[in-house]
């Protein structure tokens, strides 16, 4: 392409300071260096994590910055050493990566890459510790290695999943973050058996995807827990069969669920980030075999507190990151499941 090796000037939504409206700016996007790829972003969505860090409620605030991490695009050019992507490939950028070399990447059990796992503090590229974005020479920082609120962005090759070019990017872009996170939390980590009962805490996009995972696993009852009663009708489309609003009850929600399910659900998936919801999700699973999976990101000062007897009574607490999916190895098949309208894994 004519732009290969050249700086590209394009539009981007820049956050100059915390909580202030994003500004549409002309930014210069440098060519990709070794193991980097420059991507033309065609579709990007807004994830709550973008808002959280824009408000500077996350870890170390870093501005000016280009946010965005849930997106789909097409490779414009590749840097030295990139062999598995070429211009024209359709890709999903992912906030956590897969180097394929570290112990985590070589483990079947982990997707927590040593080199490329999510880093919300770093605003520069690994290759040289510098940003690929600038405005009149001033560096503009990256966000979680993706920065998709820009017409062009530069991403480490390990954070790009090459997908079927027939997949509609305006739909599958949401698989690059929230949907895969929720779906994988159920399918890869909770692993409900056919006929089991599952509680989903939080019915936003991630929770709905977790419910979908329970539905296609053949769960017999999927109990949605949310403080917003308006979410229940939408949740029914994703398999939720019953709805519990903790505000409607004068006893702890885990007790309500235990009464509904003869002692507790077989599996629960927590998708809120509220530490009280995390504790409830753990305490509402059945003793002997119940498994609770934490997905939501807690506040930095939160502490998880439960009685050790809950553990001794053979309840299991697990956590997951990006649904235990390895972005490069696993995401292409998630896209294929969407393309093939897979409705059951049983």
């Amino acid at each position: 392409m004519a732009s290969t090796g050249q700086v590209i000037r394009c539009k981007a939504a820049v956050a100059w300071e915390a909580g202030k409206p994003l500004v549409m700016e002309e930014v210069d996007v440098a060519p990709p260096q070794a193991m980097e790829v420059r991507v033309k972003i065609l579709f990007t969505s807004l994830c709550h994590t973008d808002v959280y860090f824009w408000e500077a409620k996350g870890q170390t605030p870093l501005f000016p910055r280009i946010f965005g991490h849930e997106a789909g695009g097409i490779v414009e050019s590749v840097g030295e050493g990139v062999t598995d992507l070429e211009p024209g490939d359709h890709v999903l950028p992912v906030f956590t990566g897969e180097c394929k070399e570290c112990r985590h990447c070589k483990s079947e059990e982990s997707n927590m890459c040593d080199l490329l796992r999510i880093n919300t503090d770093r605003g520069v590229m690994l290759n040289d510790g510098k940003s690929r974005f600038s405005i009149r020479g001033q560096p503009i920082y990256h966000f979680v290695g993706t920065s998709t609120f820009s017409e062009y962005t530069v991403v480490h090759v390990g954070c790009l999943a090459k997908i079927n070019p027939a997949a509609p990017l305006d739909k599958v872009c949401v698989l690059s973050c929230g949907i895969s996170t929720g779906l994988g939390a159920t399918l890869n980590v909770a692993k409900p058996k056919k006929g089991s009962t599952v509680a989903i805490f939080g019915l936003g996009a991630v929770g709905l995807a977790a419910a979908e995972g329970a539905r296609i696993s053949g769960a017999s009852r999927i109990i949605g827990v949310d403080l917003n009663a308006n979410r229940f009708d939408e949740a029914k489309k994703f398999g939720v069969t019953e709805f519990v609003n903790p505000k409607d009850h004068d006893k702890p929600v885990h007790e309500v669920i235990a009464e509904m399910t003869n002692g507790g659900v077989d599996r629960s998936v927590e998708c809120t980030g509220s530490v009280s919801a995390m504790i409830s999700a753990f305490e509402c699973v059945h003793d002997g075999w119940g498994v609770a999976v934490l997905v939501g990101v807690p506040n930095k000062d939160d502490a998880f507190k439960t009685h050790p007897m809950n553990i001794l009574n053979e309840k299991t607490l697990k956590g997951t990151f990006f649904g235990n999916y390895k972005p490069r190895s696993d995401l292409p098949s998630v896209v294929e499941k969407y393309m093939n309208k897979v409705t059951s894994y049983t």
Side-chain angles (χ1 to χ4, degrees):
M1 296 174 74
S3 53
T4 301
Q6 308 292 316
V7 170
I8 289 178
R9 182 165 289 181
C10 67
K11 288 190 172 65
V14 177
W16 286 100
E17 52 186 305
K20 294 289 171 68
L22 305 186
V23 181
M24 291 301 294
E25 302 276 12
E26 292 270 317
V27 299
D28 290 332
V29 184
Q33 295 192 12
M35 303 310 289
E36 296 173 1
V37 178
R38 191 160 56 185
V39 178
K40 181 177 186 177
I41 298 294
L42 297 186
F43 297 94
T44 186
S45 52
L46 175 67
C47 170
H48 192 265
T49 304
D50 295 309
V51 178
Y52 189 68
F53 283 89
W54 166 71
E55 291 173 336
K57 289 180 180 171
Q59 287 147 299
T60 316
L62 187 63
F63 294 92
R65 200 169 206 179
I66 296 173
F67 287 106
H69 64 278
E70 200 172 71
I74 296 178
V75 173
E76 177 269 336
S77 60
V78 302
E80 182 189 338
V82 175
T83 55
D84 53 352
L85 287 174
E86 57 187 35
D89 283 345
H90 287 220
V91 289
L92 300 180
V94 183
F95 61 84
T96 192
E98 180 186 355
C99 72
K100 298 193 175 184
E101 302 293 328
C102 70
R103 286 177 67 196
H104 284 277
C105 286
K106 289 181 175 176
S107 162
E108 289 180 10
E109 296 180 54
S110 176
N111 67 338
M112 304 278 289
C113 175
D114 280 331
L115 181 70
L116 299 168
R117 76 173 64 170
I118 186 172
N119 184 324
T120 57
D121 287 349
R122 189 174 62 233
V124 293
M125 299 301 286
L126 287 171
N127 189 51
D128 60 355
K130 293 179 179 173
S131 171
R132 301 289 171 263
F133 299 112
S134 61
I135 296 178
R136 293 179 292 279
Q138 178 187 359
I140 309 294
Y141 293 111
H142 297 249
F143 178 62
V144 295
T146 52
S147 291
T148 62
F149 293 172
S150 175
E151 291 177 313
Y152 288 86
T153 187
V154 177
V155 181
H156 191 285
V157 66
C159 294
L160 289 168
K162 179 181 174 180
I163 62 162
N164 184 343
L169 282 171
D170 62 326
K171 305 284 196 304
V172 298
C173 66
V174 294
L175 292 174
S176 72
C177 178
I179 304 304
S180 296
T181 296
L183 191 69
T186 304
L187 295 178
N188 300 336
V189 188
K191 297 180 180 171
K193 296 181 172 73
K194 188 172 184 179
S196 59
T197 54
V198 181
I200 309 290
F201 284 73
L203 296 173
V206 177
L208 294 178
E212 174 81 356
R215 184 184 68 76
I216 58 184
S217 298
S220 62
R221 295 172 71 187
I222 304 172
I223 301 166
V225 183
D226 203 296
L227 296 167
N228 182 352
N230 296 332
R231 288 179 156 183
F232 186 41
D233 278 344
E234 186 69 20
K236 285 179 182 173
K237 300 175 191 170
F238 294 85
V240 175
T241 57
E242 296 150 82
F243 184 71
V244 174
N245 187 334
K247 290 191 292 195
D248 295 343
H249 301 274
D250 53 9
K251 63 176 76 166
V253 69
H254 70 271
E255 291 182 15
V256 176
I257 292 171
E259 284 179 12
M260 292 169 65
T261 55
N262 192 22
V265 288
D266 302 310
R267 302 288 187 267
S268 70
V269 185
E270 183 284 323
C271 306
T272 70
S274 155
V275 74
S276 63
M278 295 176 191
I279 295 166
S280 297
F282 177 54
E283 295 188 342
C284 82
V285 299
H286 205 288
D287 55 9
W289 61 79
V291 179
V293 178
L294 304 188
V295 179
V297 179
N299 287 324
K300 64 180 186 299
D301 299 325
D302 283 340
F304 186 98
K305 188 178 179 189
T306 192
H307 197 282
M309 280 307 297
N310 282 317
I311 309 279
L312 296 172
N313 285 333
E314 299 179 10
K315 297 182 178 188
T316 298
L317 181 64
K318 300 178 97 170
T320 177
F321 209 58
F322 194 55
N324 202 235
Y325 286 120
K326 295 178 190 277
R328 296 161 87 182
S329 301
D330 298 336
L331 261 196
S333 65
V334 178
V335 171
E336 293 305 315
K337 288 186 178 86
Y338 165 73
M339 297 285 285
N340 297 324
K341 301 288 185 274
V342 170
T343 55
S344 172
Y345 285 78
T346 52

